[in-house]
Amino acid sequence: MLRNVSELPLEGKTVFLRADFNVPLDGGVITEAHRIDSALPTIRFLLEKAAGLVIASHLGRPGGSSDSRWSLAPVRHHLERSLSLGVQLAPDCIGPEVRRLVKGLEPGKVVLLENLRFHPGEEANDPAFARSLADLADVYVSEAFGAAHRAHASTEGMVGHFRQKGAGFLFREEVEYLSRVLSAPERPVAAILGGAKVSDKIGILKNLVPRMDVVMVGGAMAYTFLKARGVAVGRSLLERDSLGLAGDIMNEAERSGVPLVLPVDHVVAGDTDAGAHDVTPDASIPEDRMGLDIGPKTAALFADKLNGAAMALWNGPLGLFEREPFHHGTVSVARALAASGATTVIAGGDTVAAVRLAGAADAMTHLSTGGGAALEFLEGKTLPGVRALMV
C-alpha cells in the first residue's frame, strides 16, 4: 500500500521531503519550473502540519563532487518567491552544520539541503550516506517520482530507516494515473506514441499495445514502422536495426485486435533547416525528402480516433515541434485531445512542452513530471522509489 502524505502522523515531527527539482538552468536562471511548482501543494501542506521541513533534491550531473554550477541556490530563490517564505539553503546535505540547522528548525520553517549528488554516496546508494540523511528527520515523504526509477540513497536506501513514510500529492497522482492507464483504464482507451526511436519505446509498445483499444504512432519512429510495411520513407530518420521490432509490434497489434494507426501523409523538407516544405499526398516520402511532421490528413485521422475516447495516454511529440513549420501536427493533435473530453495523461517532458505550446495544458487531466521514471512504469517495471515506500 502506498500511503498519502495526508495519512501520515506529522504533528511534532520533522519531515524529510525528497523532491525532484532537477530543472533546466541557463546561466544560473531556471528556464522551466514545472517540477518545482508541481511540488508546492505538498510543501505547503507539510509546512502547515509538521514541526519542521527538510527538502532535498539532486540537480544535474555534478559527478559526486561539489560544483557551484549545480548549486540549488536558484531553486531556493524560486521557492522563496513561490512560498513567500524565507528558505535556508544548507551548505551541504549531511554533516554537523546541517544537523545544527535542522535541529533549530521551527514550525513553518524549511531547510533546503544542498545538491545530493555533490556526494558520490547518493548515486552509489551508500548505506552510511543514506543513514546520515535519514538521521535528519522522523518522517519520510517522496515527491520525486521523476527519480523513482533510480535506486539511490535518497530515493531507496534511506527509506528503510523510517517507520512513517509516504508519497506526496503529486507522486501519488503519478502512480494512480499511470496505473489506471495500464490496469484499469476507462474504455475506450487510446495511446499516442511519438518520439525519435522505436528502440527507446520498445518496452512501452510491447506493454501498451495489447492493453489499448487503438494506438497511434507518429514522430520519427513512425518512419521505421512505415519502412517495415514496405512504404518509401526517403531520407527520413530510420532505425534499420529496429525494422524487425517494428514488424513484431505490428503483428502483435493485429493478433490483439488493436488498430495500430500510422501516418497517411507527411510534412517533408530537404533538411531540418529548410524553409521550403511540402505535404505528401499519401504515406510515401520522396527519395530527396525527409519527414518532419505528420500531415494534415494524419492529424485529422488521429483526431477522429480520439473522438469518443474515454481515456488517452500521449508520450512523444509527432514531429520536430520545436521548429516552425514542423509543429502544426503536434499542436493540432494536442488541441484535439484537449477537446475530446477524455481523461488525458501526458507523459514525457517534450510532450508536456508540446501541449503547453498548443495552449492545451490546462485542459489535460494529468501532466506527468516523471520523465524516464514514467516510461519505465509504463513498461511495467517496478520502480525502486515506489517499492521502497510501500507499507
Side-chain angles (χ1 to χ4, degrees):
M1 179 180 71
L2 186 63
R3 296 174 74 188
N4 192 284
V5 61
S6 60
E7 302 173 85
L8 299 174
L10 301 174
E11 188 174 353
K13 306 293 185 183
T14 299
V15 176
F16 187 105
L17 176 67
R18 178 37 164 115
D20 181 10
F21 295 156
N22 189 30
V23 292
L25 299 175
D26 184 4
V29 177
I30 296 171
T31 58
E32 211 294 309
H34 176 62
R35 285 187 170 184
I36 303 175
D37 295 339
S38 296
L40 291 176
T42 294
I43 293 172
R44 292 190 177 104
F45 178 83
L46 291 171
L47 285 170
E48 180 182 340
K49 301 291 185 181
L53 177 59
V54 180
I55 304 179
S57 178
H58 72 282
L59 177 61
R61 298 181 181 274
S65 60
S66 182
D67 185 335
S68 61
R69 294 175 300 172
W70 300 110
S71 171
L72 286 174
V75 173
R76 186 264 299 271
H77 296 316
H78 187 87
L79 286 173
E80 288 185 327
R81 290 194 301 269
S82 301
L83 297 169
S84 300
L85 176 74
V87 174
Q88 188 159 11
L89 178 62
D92 203 340
C93 57
I94 59 172
E97 178 63 12
V98 175
R99 291 195 297 271
R100 185 188 67 79
L101 289 173
V102 173
K103 188 174 180 180
L105 269 174
E106 298 175 355
K109 301 297 182 182
V110 58
V111 168
L112 175 65
L113 303 184
E114 188 51 283
N115 195 334
L116 291 161
R117 289 189 180 174
F118 284 178
H119 287 263
E122 165 63 3
E123 293 185 84
N125 200 4
D126 178 71
F129 181 70
R131 179 81 234 192
S132 296
L133 292 174
D135 285 344
L136 296 173
D138 309 303
V139 178
Y140 178 92
V141 175
S142 181
E143 197 61 294
F145 183 79
H149 58 319
R150 306 299 187 202
H152 291 172
S154 65
T155 58
E156 184 195 50
M158 68 180 291
V159 187
H161 295 290
F162 291 87
R163 291 186 61 192
Q164 303 297 340
K165 56 188 178 181
F169 297 125
L170 177 64
F171 192 113
R172 182 69 178 265
E173 188 175 275
E174 294 271 18
V175 172
E176 286 183 350
Y177 276 108
L178 295 175
S179 295
R180 278 171 61 185
V181 168
L182 293 178
S183 303
E186 295 99 310
R187 298 284 183 178
V189 56
I192 309 167
L193 298 174
K197 295 182 177 181
V198 176
S199 55
D200 289 344
K201 302 290 176 71
I202 187 65
I204 296 175
L205 285 161
K206 285 184 175 180
N207 198 40
L208 275 183
V209 166
R211 302 168 187 266
M212 299 293 105
D213 294 308
V214 61
V215 175
M216 291 157 270
V217 177
M221 73 173 183
Y223 309 126
T224 301
F225 278 91
L226 288 168
K227 185 69 173 179
R229 278 189 177 174
V231 178
V233 297
R235 294 174 47 240
S236 304
L237 184 65
L238 178 65
E239 283 185 284
R240 294 193 180 277
D241 291 346
S242 295
L243 288 171
L245 290 174
D248 291 343
I249 294 295
M250 289 187 287
N251 290 336
E252 174 61 27
E254 186 173 358
R255 285 194 298 269
S256 302
V258 177
L260 195 150
V261 184
L262 297 176
V264 294
D265 64 342
H266 314 272
V267 178
V268 298
D271 59 66
T272 58
D273 294 322
H277 61 284
D278 304 296
V279 177
T280 63
D282 54 32
S284 297
I285 298 174
E287 287 185 6
D288 62 342
R289 293 286 186 267
M290 61 175 65
L292 295 167
D293 191 13
I294 59 170
K297 288 191 288 190
T298 303
L301 175 63
F302 283 14
D304 182 65
K305 297 296 182 182
L306 292 169
N307 186 30
M311 191 171 202
L313 166 75
W314 185 7
N315 170 248
L318 305 177
L320 193 65
F321 78 100
E322 306 94 332
R323 298 187 189 180
E324 295 189 23
F326 309 121
H327 65 294
H328 294 292
T330 296
V331 167
S332 177
V333 171
R335 291 174 178 168
L337 186 58
S340 69
T343 298
T344 49
V345 179
I346 311 301
D350 285 345
T351 321
V352 171
V355 299
R356 291 190 186 283
L357 176 67
D362 290 343
M364 301 303 176
T365 310
H366 179 66
L367 301 177
S368 175
T369 63
L375 300 189
E376 289 196 18
F377 195 100
L378 291 170
E379 288 177 16
K381 295 180 179 178
T382 300
L383 308 186
V386 175
R387 182 177 57 239
L389 289 177
M390 293 297 182
V391 294

